[in-house]
Amino acid sequence: VLQGPTVDRHARSLPRQLWRSWRNSRLETRRPPGPLARIDYAKAGLWRAFGTMRAMIRDHIEHRLTYISAPTLLLRGSRDPICPARWLDELAALMPRSERLTLRDGTHTLHYVYPWSFCNAIRPFLARIQQENQHE
């Protein structure tokens, strides 16, 4: 399961990613992950946080997904500004055994903000894959 895969090749720059992240934070009103992220960044330190962001921008996930042969669920929220639907479609086209799923009203950090919806969304996929594996 790849939830909200980043970084969209059409927005592969730090300013664009920061803008999209800010927009996402404005949408996550129920349980915003911002406070948790600030704690993580504080523990890691600024150099590590910036190094991670730099590595994220340089990562071209679209080049490596072609090597994945396992069944893969690509999941995003319908209001996710970081992983737009077009980007998910592009990634799914690279993976022959992929499925796409968009959670209505979800934002980028589904696993933090909407954990029950996230779990309920992936369970049928995992159960079906498990059943297929048992029949092989």
Side-chain angles (χ1 to χ4, degrees):
V1 175
L2 299 178
Q3 187 266 307
T6 57
V7 167
D8 178 358
R9 71 181 180 89
H10 303 285
R12 191 169 277 133
S13 72
L14 187 56
R16 284 182 172 172
Q17 290 302 306
L18 290 173
W19 170 249
R20 286 181 174 193
S21 182
W22 180 83
R23 284 178 41 216
N24 186 68
S25 70
R26 311 301 335 144
L27 297 170
E28 293 180 336
T29 56
R30 282 189 27 211
R31 285 179 52 190
L36 183 59
R38 283 191 287 281
I39 292 169
D40 288 345
Y41 289 136
K43 286 181 181 178
L46 283 178
W47 289 116
R48 176 67 181 246
F50 286 125
T52 300
M53 285 184 232
R54 192 170 54 237
M56 179 184 78
I57 296 298
R58 291 179 180 165
D59 180 42
H60 292 253
I61 189 174
E62 65 273 18
H63 296 164
R64 287 196 301 282
L65 292 183
T66 59
Y67 297 106
I68 297 176
S69 60
T72 306
L73 178 64
L74 298 164
L75 177 65
R76 68 176 291 276
S78 65
R79 300 184 310 142
D80 184 347
I82 296 173
C83 180
R86 171 200 33 78
W87 178 235
L88 206 71
D89 292 344
E90 285 184 42
L91 298 179
L94 298 172
M95 304 174 72
R97 297 184 69 196
S98 67
E99 297 176 28
R100 288 168 293 210
L101 179 61
T102 298
L103 285 183
R104 190 171 52 103
D105 296 329
T107 53
H108 183 65
T109 50
L110 295 169
H111 55 298
Y112 284 123
V113 183
Y114 310 100
W116 293 112
S117 297
F118 176 74
C119 289
N120 289 333
I122 66 175
R123 277 189 180 132
F125 172 79
L126 296 175
R128 192 176 69 255
I129 298 306
Q130 185 177 27
Q131 188 175 28
E132 289 172 8
N133 288 339
Q134 288 174 350
H135 287 82
E136 287 182 0

